Structures are given as C-alpha cells and as structure tokens.
Amino acid sequence: MKLPACWNCKKQFSYGKLLLLWGGSTVCPRCGETNYLTAESRKKGAWYTPILIILMVIGLNMFDIGFPGIILYGLIFLLIGLSLSPFTFHFTDEQEPLF
C-alpha cells in the first residue's frame, strides 16, 4: 500500500499527517499548496464505515462478551479503520462536488 502524494510537487505525505485528516484537505509541507480529497476518495471512505460496522456487529453476535469487551472490540475496529484510511486517499487541486 502506498501513501498519497501532493498533486503539485508529488511529495509523498507522511502517515502521521494523514492519519487524522479532518475537513477533506491538507497543505503540502514542501510547496504549500492545498490538497483536497477527490470525490472518489470520499465515496470510498463512506463505504468503509458501514462495512466495518457490519463486521463489528457480526463479531459481537458470535462472541458472548461483557460490556467492557464490547467497548474494547469497538475500539479495535475504530483503530483498524483509522489506521487504514490514509492509504485510500487521493488528492486534487480543487474541491470536487461529491455528486
């Protein structure tokens, strides 16, 4: 898996910079240009969330664990989703409409 690069200077972003990307844009540390998530990247991200929730519910129904186990199980799935999300990003120079 490969991390995305700046649309302008092609510098690859660091994992830490993309890990908690909120708002759909980031600024390149090398050239200073704003990089916006493509509409395709945002659509992919919208599909991953329900899939992770479905897998989490299926897993909870398979195991009889108490409330602390449910919280831990949910946190594990949250961390998996957050840690894999930067690899699905692609950037462009302008903000694209979602539909």
Side-chain angles (χ1 to χ4, degrees), residues 26-48:
T26 187
V27 176
C28 177
R30 181 188 288 168
C31 67
E33 290 290 334
T34 302
N35 288 263
Y36 297 98
L37 283 174
T38 63
E40 187 66 29
S41 291
R42 291 184 289 163
K43 288 177 187 175
K44 283 181 186 177
W47 278 104
Y48 291 134

Short mmCIF file of all heavy atoms in Angstrom, two decimals, residues 26-48:
data_model
loop_
_atom_site.label_atom_id
_atom_site.label_comp_id
_atom_site.label_asym_id
_atom_site.label_seq_id
_atom_site.Cartn_x
_atom_site.Cartn_y
_atom_site.Cartn_z
N THR A 26 -5.59 19.18 3.09
CA THR A 26 -4.35 19.34 3.83
C THR A 26 -3.40 20.19 2.99
O THR A 26 -3.57 20.31 1.79
CB THR A 26 -3.72 17.97 4.17
OG1 THR A 26 -2.60 18.19 5.03
CG2 THR A 26 -3.29 17.22 2.94
N VAL A 27 -2.42 20.78 3.64
CA VAL A 27 -1.46 21.63 2.95
C VAL A 27 -0.14 20.87 2.83
O VAL A 27 0.32 20.24 3.79
CB VAL A 27 -1.25 22.95 3.73
CG1 VAL A 27 -0.18 23.80 3.09
CG2 VAL A 27 -2.55 23.72 3.82
N CYS A 28 0.45 20.92 1.66
CA CYS A 28 1.71 20.25 1.41
C CYS A 28 2.83 20.96 2.17
O CYS A 28 2.96 22.18 2.07
CB CYS A 28 2.02 20.24 -0.09
SG CYS A 28 3.61 19.50 -0.48
N PRO A 29 3.65 20.21 2.93
CA PRO A 29 4.74 20.86 3.67
C PRO A 29 5.86 21.36 2.77
O PRO A 29 6.61 22.26 3.16
CB PRO A 29 5.24 19.75 4.59
CG PRO A 29 4.78 18.48 3.99
CD PRO A 29 3.55 18.79 3.20
N ARG A 30 5.99 20.84 1.56
CA ARG A 30 7.06 21.27 0.66
C ARG A 30 6.68 22.50 -0.14
O ARG A 30 7.38 23.51 -0.13
CB ARG A 30 7.45 20.15 -0.29
CG ARG A 30 8.61 20.59 -1.21
CD ARG A 30 8.92 19.60 -2.30
NE ARG A 30 9.56 18.41 -1.75
CZ ARG A 30 9.73 17.30 -2.43
NH1 ARG A 30 9.29 17.20 -3.67
NH2 ARG A 30 10.32 16.26 -1.89
N CYS A 31 5.56 22.44 -0.88
CA CYS A 31 5.22 23.55 -1.78
C CYS A 31 4.14 24.49 -1.23
O CYS A 31 3.91 25.55 -1.78
CB CYS A 31 4.78 23.00 -3.15
SG CYS A 31 3.23 22.08 -3.13
N GLY A 32 3.44 24.10 -0.17
CA GLY A 32 2.44 24.96 0.45
C GLY A 32 1.09 24.95 -0.24
O GLY A 32 0.20 25.71 0.14
N GLU A 33 0.91 24.12 -1.26
CA GLU A 33 -0.37 24.06 -1.97
C GLU A 33 -1.40 23.26 -1.16
O GLU A 33 -1.05 22.30 -0.47
CB GLU A 33 -0.20 23.39 -3.33
CG GLU A 33 0.56 24.22 -4.33
CD GLU A 33 -0.21 25.44 -4.82
OE1 GLU A 33 -1.46 25.42 -4.80
OE2 GLU A 33 0.44 26.42 -5.22
N THR A 34 -2.66 23.66 -1.28
CA THR A 34 -3.74 22.93 -0.62
C THR A 34 -4.12 21.72 -1.46
O THR A 34 -4.29 21.83 -2.67
CB THR A 34 -4.96 23.83 -0.41
OG1 THR A 34 -4.57 24.97 0.36
CG2 THR A 34 -6.07 23.10 0.31
N ASN A 35 -4.23 20.58 -0.81
CA ASN A 35 -4.61 19.33 -1.46
C ASN A 35 -5.98 18.92 -0.95
O ASN A 35 -6.17 18.78 0.27
CB ASN A 35 -3.60 18.23 -1.12
CG ASN A 35 -2.28 18.43 -1.82
OD1 ASN A 35 -2.05 17.86 -2.85
ND2 ASN A 35 -1.42 19.26 -1.24
N TYR A 36 -6.92 18.74 -1.86
CA TYR A 36 -8.28 18.35 -1.50
C TYR A 36 -8.50 16.88 -1.83
O TYR A 36 -8.02 16.40 -2.86
CB TYR A 36 -9.31 19.19 -2.28
CG TYR A 36 -9.22 20.67 -1.97
CD1 TYR A 36 -8.53 21.53 -2.81
CD2 TYR A 36 -9.84 21.18 -0.84
CE1 TYR A 36 -8.46 22.88 -2.54
CE2 TYR A 36 -9.77 22.54 -0.56
CZ TYR A 36 -9.08 23.38 -1.41
OH TYR A 36 -9.01 24.71 -1.13
N LEU A 37 -9.24 16.19 -0.96
CA LEU A 37 -9.60 14.81 -1.26
C LEU A 37 -10.48 14.76 -2.50
O LEU A 37 -11.37 15.60 -2.66
CB LEU A 37 -10.36 14.18 -0.09
CG LEU A 37 -9.55 13.75 1.10
CD1 LEU A 37 -10.48 13.30 2.22
CD2 LEU A 37 -8.58 12.66 0.75
N THR A 38 -10.23 13.81 -3.37
CA THR A 38 -11.08 13.66 -4.55
C THR A 38 -12.44 13.14 -4.12
O THR A 38 -12.59 12.55 -3.04
CB THR A 38 -10.45 12.69 -5.56
OG1 THR A 38 -10.35 11.40 -4.95
CG2 THR A 38 -9.10 13.16 -6.03
N ALA A 39 -13.43 13.34 -4.97
CA ALA A 39 -14.77 12.84 -4.69
C ALA A 39 -14.74 11.32 -4.58
O ALA A 39 -15.44 10.73 -3.73
CB ALA A 39 -15.74 13.29 -5.78
N GLU A 40 -13.94 10.67 -5.40
CA GLU A 40 -13.82 9.21 -5.36
C GLU A 40 -13.28 8.74 -4.01
O GLU A 40 -13.76 7.75 -3.45
CB GLU A 40 -12.92 8.73 -6.50
CG GLU A 40 -12.86 7.24 -6.65
CD GLU A 40 -14.18 6.63 -7.09
OE1 GLU A 40 -14.97 7.32 -7.77
OE2 GLU A 40 -14.43 5.47 -6.73
N SER A 41 -12.31 9.42 -3.46
CA SER A 41 -11.75 9.06 -2.16
C SER A 41 -12.80 9.20 -1.06
O SER A 41 -12.89 8.37 -0.16
CB SER A 41 -10.56 9.94 -1.81
OG SER A 41 -9.47 9.68 -2.63
N ARG A 42 -13.57 10.28 -1.13
CA ARG A 42 -14.61 10.48 -0.11
C ARG A 42 -15.71 9.43 -0.22
O ARG A 42 -16.25 8.97 0.78
CB ARG A 42 -15.19 11.89 -0.21
CG ARG A 42 -14.16 12.93 0.20
CD ARG A 42 -14.73 14.31 0.20
NE ARG A 42 -14.94 14.72 -1.20
CZ ARG A 42 -15.71 15.71 -1.58
NH1 ARG A 42 -16.36 16.42 -0.70
NH2 ARG A 42 -15.83 16.01 -2.85
N LYS A 43 -16.03 9.02 -1.45
CA LYS A 43 -17.04 7.97 -1.63
C LYS A 43 -16.55 6.63 -1.09
O LYS A 43 -17.29 5.90 -0.45
CB LYS A 43 -17.41 7.83 -3.11
CG LYS A 43 -18.24 8.98 -3.63
CD LYS A 43 -18.50 8.82 -5.12
CE LYS A 43 -19.17 10.05 -5.69
NZ LYS A 43 -19.32 9.98 -7.15
N LYS A 44 -15.27 6.31 -1.34
CA LYS A 44 -14.70 5.08 -0.80
C LYS A 44 -14.76 5.09 0.73
O LYS A 44 -15.10 4.09 1.35
CB LYS A 44 -13.25 4.91 -1.24
CG LYS A 44 -13.08 4.44 -2.65
CD LYS A 44 -11.61 4.29 -2.96
CE LYS A 44 -11.37 3.96 -4.41
NZ LYS A 44 -9.93 3.89 -4.72
N GLY A 45 -14.41 6.20 1.32
CA GLY A 45 -14.46 6.32 2.78
C GLY A 45 -15.85 6.15 3.33
O GLY A 45 -16.04 5.60 4.41
N ALA A 46 -16.84 6.60 2.58
CA ALA A 46 -18.22 6.44 3.02
C ALA A 46 -18.65 4.98 2.99
O ALA A 46 -19.55 4.58 3.73
CB ALA A 46 -19.14 7.28 2.14
N TRP A 47 -18.04 4.16 2.16
CA TRP A 47 -18.37 2.73 2.10
C TRP A 47 -17.66 1.93 3.18
O TRP A 47 -18.18 0.91 3.64
CB TRP A 47 -18.01 2.15 0.73
CG TRP A 47 -19.05 2.42 -0.29
CD1 TRP A 47 -18.99 3.34 -1.29
CD2 TRP A 47 -20.32 1.79 -0.42
NE1 TRP A 47 -20.13 3.32 -2.03
CE2 TRP A 47 -20.97 2.37 -1.51
CE3 TRP A 47 -20.97 0.79 0.29
CZ2 TRP A 47 -22.24 1.99 -1.91
CZ3 TRP A 47 -22.23 0.41 -0.11
CH2 TRP A 47 -22.85 1.01 -1.19
N TYR A 48 -16.48 2.35 3.59
CA TYR A 48 -15.73 1.59 4.58
C TYR A 48 -16.40 1.61 5.94
O TYR A 48 -16.36 0.62 6.66
CB TYR A 48 -14.30 2.11 4.71
CG TYR A 48 -13.45 1.84 3.51
CD1 TYR A 48 -12.64 2.82 2.96
CD2 TYR A 48 -13.45 0.60 2.91
CE1 TYR A 48 -11.87 2.57 1.85
CE2 TYR A 48 -12.68 0.33 1.79
CZ TYR A 48 -11.89 1.32 1.28
OH TYR A 48 -11.13 1.07 0.17
#
